[in-house]
Amino acid sequence: MQLTVIGVGPGDSELLTIKAVRMIKEADVILVPVKKEGSTNSTALSIAKPYIEDMDKVQYLYFPMIDCDENKNYVNTIFKGNGEKINRQLQEGKKMVYLTLGDPMIYSTFTYISQYLDGVQYIPGIPSFLNGAALSKSPLCIGKESMAVVNMTDDEDTIKQVFNLHDSIVVMKVCTNQKLLKNLIEQGKRNAIFMSNIGLDNEHFTTDINYLDEKVPYFTIGIIR
């Protein structure tokens, strides 16, 4: 059997693909990542919940939200353990799915354990920045414009280089370096729109650069042009 990794999109349950919904309904086991050991709080699960008929199928996998480079041995032990748990159930012939926010290939927690698994297939989901662009009616690139996706956890030189090279920039994990982001937007005299908690009940959009003066929610992205 193979594990199917499903991108559940940015928050709106109606944005899951038909194939994703079918695989969730057919699964024997539904795996979801959580930030704390013993927790059952999962945004990915809440998005897919309308399509889960039996919550007893849900299993929670702990993924520590810490720097993987600084805590390499510890996190690798956790990731390997998660992989072994999945492999055991796959060998029993169980049909399993793993739910991840957005798309499985863009900053997904799953990538940390994929190396420990025997067989995986993927179902794409809508990334938050594509949904945000649609909701805010903000084209990501036009004509010959270039576009880049940058994570604010990157080093400053890399981020600055992206701003120097590209016309349109999607900024992920805005909350990790708001001061630098604000400086680059102001220095380049660029336009920006910030989107927090896209697809969730507390969704928020703003073009006010001063939004960065206060700590923004974890699920905040920016589109810079």
Side-chain angles (χ1 to χ4, degrees):
M1 298 294 289
Q2 277 189 323
L3 172 70
T4 301
V5 183
I6 298 174
V8 299
D12 185 343
S13 299
E14 294 185 335
L15 292 179
L16 270 76
T17 64
I18 294 172
K19 185 173 184 178
V21 171
R22 177 176 62 82
M23 295 300 290
I24 290 170
K25 288 180 177 292
E26 293 177 356
D28 299 313
V29 176
I30 300 169
L31 301 166
V32 296
V34 293
K35 300 176 183 178
K36 296 180 180 179
E37 286 189 272
S39 173
T40 58
N41 183 22
S42 167
T43 304
L45 176 61
S46 67
I47 295 170
K49 199 169 184 178
Y51 311 111
I52 299 175
E53 298 167 354
D54 183 1
M55 288 297 293
D56 288 339
K57 293 182 177 181
V58 176
Q59 295 182 12
Y60 302 90
L61 294 180
Y62 169 53
F63 283 81
M65 299 296 287
I66 56 178
D67 190 302
C68 291
D69 291 328
E70 293 183 2
N71 302 273
K72 191 171 183 178
N73 291 336
Y74 172 69
V75 296
N76 282 346
T77 299
I78 299 294
F79 298 154
K80 185 177 181 180
N82 284 341
E84 291 173 347
K85 179 179 180 179
I86 294 171
N87 282 330
R88 282 196 299 269
Q89 295 183 84
L90 288 174
Q91 291 167 5
E92 294 171 1
K94 292 181 180 178
K95 186 178 291 186
M96 305 178 71
V97 298
Y98 177 102
L99 307 182
T100 186
L101 285 173
D103 182 89
M105 298 302 179
I106 302 177
Y107 298 120
S108 170
T109 53
F110 180 78
T111 56
Y112 296 114
I113 63 170
S114 60
Q115 62 180 310
Y116 301 113
L117 299 175
D118 298 331
V120 181
Q121 64 177 349
Y122 298 87
I123 298 177
I126 297 176
S128 59
F129 62 85
L130 291 183
N131 190 39
L135 292 174
S136 63
K137 301 177 183 178
S138 306
L140 290 175
C141 42
I142 303 171
K144 295 182 179 180
E145 291 179 339
S146 63
M147 188 192 84
V149 178
V150 65
N151 191 330
M152 289 306 294
T153 59
D154 287 342
D155 63 87
E156 291 194 10
D157 288 340
T158 297
I159 296 171
K160 290 176 179 177
Q161 186 177 24
V162 168
F163 270 75
N164 288 333
L165 291 175
H166 297 282
D167 305 296
S168 178
I169 305 165
V170 172
V171 181
M172 309 292 286
K173 299 189 179 178
V174 167
C175 64
T176 58
N177 201 337
Q178 295 175 208
K179 183 178 179 180
L180 173 62
L181 178 57
K182 184 177 182 181
N183 288 340
L184 290 173
I185 293 170
E186 291 180 331
Q187 290 170 9
K189 297 181 180 179
R190 289 178 176 259
N191 296 314
I193 181 167
F194 305 102
M195 295 160 274
S196 299
N197 302 316
I198 297 170
L200 305 177
D201 292 338
N202 54 345
E203 178 181 272
H204 179 69
F205 291 72
T206 183
T207 56
D208 184 1
I209 188 68
N210 295 319
Y211 183 56
L212 297 178
D213 291 339
E214 302 293 334
K215 190 69 173 178
V216 301
Y218 178 79
F219 292 120
T220 298
I221 66 170
I223 295 178
I224 318 299
R225 294 183 58 81

